[in-house]
Amino acid sequence: MNAPHPPKVAGIDSTVPAPTHTVAPAPASGVPGTSPVASPGCSGSPHPPYAPGAILQDRLAGWVSDLTTLHELTERLARTNSLDAALKELLRAGAALVGARRGLVVLEPDDGLGPDTTIGLGLARSDLGHIETVPRSAMPHGTLLDTAAGLPGGDGEVVRPDLFAEDGLDPRHRDVAARLGYAAGYALPLSTRAAGRLGAALWFYDEPAEPAERRRHLAGLYVRFATEHLARLLETERTRACMTTMYEELLPSRLPRVPGVQLASRHRTGPRGGGDWYDALPLPDAALGLAVGSVTGAGPGAVAAMGRLRASLRAYAVMEGEDPVAVLSDLELLLRLTEPARSATALFAYCEPALRRITLAGAGHSPPLVVGERRTEFVETSVSAPLGMLACWEAPSVEFQVGAGETVLLYTDGLLHRTGEPVDRAFARLHTAAASVPRPLRRDPGAVADHVLRTVLPDGLDMTDGAEDVALLAARFE
């Protein structure tokens, strides 16, 4: 019977260079009266005595190599600005440090506020599904997630150098390991005293193996840094999700159905949450009120101010919507009394769908765009200051007609600012985008808004987070 093979030490990935110096072991202490041993093939000349500082020099070279590697990996991690990217980078760097090829990281903050996610390296989604069928307590990362071992000050790691040689290995774990082709595992907690326990990372080896002590030390240092970085990204992600939820709740949950008009809206929220908004509300005499606006600033204060202004404008529109100038005058007075440190732009349109007639007034806001079969043009509006900028705001209203099948596009300035171009070029790009809407899409205001967004902000910029909020409101008249 062959003796069992001892677990081998995991190989070091090329990403982690070995020390550049290697030195033979120092000879034993000399005995008085003896001479150094001659080297064969060297004409009987003895070896020179081993330099006392060579061992220290070799160790220093190894430490410099390790520190250089650790610095490079932490720099790469620090450049990630999203949880998903950071978790993937953590897996890649950790695999290089411990000499593994595959792995997974489970993000599961112990405060219960989420988000909870699992990301794999070299594992397909189906592979992660198989792993999830194993009892959590039987997996190395499960031990860290569910026991004190994964808390700050706990054991700090779980080493499983040869799964199939273990007595009492969970049968389901044995089946999954055989199916996926891994024979060993090494897990570290994502846990520090400052961040608490955020989750755990696990790397798999194809054969019985475990990382050497030097590799474990480096991986531990790296994971502790990664945990602090993940904690910062987690806080940012939670704040962003909270701001998005607030923003969504303060905007219309659905647009009204008014005979003779089809409505559609699109909006994108910046990372800190801003004050761009839109609204559509039915008014007496089968009329329709359309509004867009923007409050200066960003963050919770701007979002709250936006909500107050939008709610106030709805009330003023119900009372005197047929006079858009009066609506914006009342809104300006409210802003000066309740938000003296802020200014805002706004546009309110009183629509009569049966007559396809629109009366609008704007306060420092960009003009609407009419998109039809025979024309694509901006509505000529009077130049006026934003709300809150003058002692008393007032500007004349504008009245215009739209044809059957034409769409009126209202938008906030964030659409123009996100292009990064001067205002005149941004307006030209918007006009070109609206004029290029394919004819079959013009029957759907939602398709018109989508086409304009993708054309003005190409290459996915319409979906990414930007410094500016964007709000569009499209109304197609039948």
Side-chain angles (χ1 to χ4, degrees), residues 221-437:
L221 292 174
Y222 177 79
V223 168
R224 281 195 287 276
F225 174 85
T227 301
E228 297 291 343
H229 182 63
L230 289 172
R232 292 189 289 270
L233 292 178
L234 182 64
E235 188 64 27
T236 301
E237 188 76 16
R238 287 175 174 177
T239 301
R240 183 178 302 175
C242 180
M243 293 302 302
T244 300
T245 301
M246 288 176 56
Y247 189 81
E248 296 286 345
E249 290 297 324
L250 290 173
L251 292 176
S253 57
R254 62 179 181 177
L255 297 174
R257 294 184 178 182
V258 177
V261 182
Q262 292 177 283
L263 298 173
S265 64
R266 300 291 184 269
H267 60 275
R268 304 288 183 265
T269 309
R272 294 194 301 154
D276 286 19
W277 53 275
Y278 67 92
D279 204 354
L281 67 157
L283 297 175
D285 302 324
L288 173 69
L290 302 177
V292 291
S294 177
V295 176
T296 56
V303 174
M306 175 269 287
R308 288 191 289 269
L309 284 183
R310 173 179 169 263
S312 301
L313 185 141
R314 291 176 69 91
Y316 300 146
V318 170
M319 292 186 294
E320 46 194 5
E322 67 280 357
D323 185 357
V325 172
V327 172
L328 293 187
S329 296
D330 291 343
L331 195 65
E332 194 272 340
L333 178 60
L334 175 74
L335 183 69
R336 278 197 293 118
L337 294 176
T338 61
E339 304 281 348
R342 293 189 187 275
S343 62
T345 65
L347 186 148
F348 177 73
Y350 179 79
C351 307
E352 299 171 90
L355 302 176
R356 292 197 291 273
R357 182 169 61 195
I358 299 176
T359 305
L360 66 84
H365 205 83
S366 299
L369 187 60
V370 179
V371 182
E373 295 289 340
R374 299 182 179 180
R375 63 169 176 167
T376 300
E377 60 186 27
F378 291 101
V379 177
E380 293 187 7
T381 58
S382 57
V383 178
S384 61
L387 302 176
M389 296 292 289
L390 302 178
C392 182
W393 177 91
E394 187 169 347
S397 61
V398 175
E399 182 179 302
F400 64 98
Q401 294 284 143
V402 294
E406 290 188 330
T407 298
V408 178
L409 186 66
L410 285 67
Y411 52 92
T412 59
D413 293 342
L415 177 64
L416 306 175
H417 295 162
R418 279 203 184 194
T419 64
E421 296 183 343
V423 175
D424 56 341
R425 291 186 182 179
F427 273 117
R429 176 181 285 194
L430 174 58
H431 185 277
T432 301
S436 66
V437 177

Side-chain angles (χ1 to χ4, degrees), residues 81-88 107 115 119 229-231 233-234 237:
N81 55 12
S82 68
L83 271 178
D84 185 70
L87 292 172
K88 290 178 180 176
L107 185 68
I119 294 178
H229 182 63
L230 289 172
L233 292 178
L234 182 64
E237 188 76 16

Side-chain angles (χ1 to χ4, degrees), residues 98 100 102 139-141 158-163 166 173 182-188 201-211:
V98 303
R102 294 179 291 175
M139 295 296 295
H141 66 282
V158 175
V159 185
R160 305 281 288 274
D162 190 349
L163 290 174
E166 293 180 6
H173 193 185
Y182 67 85
Y186 178 68
L188 286 173
L202 168 63
W203 292 277
F204 298 108
Y205 300 102
D206 297 342
E207 299 178 1
E210 62 179 294

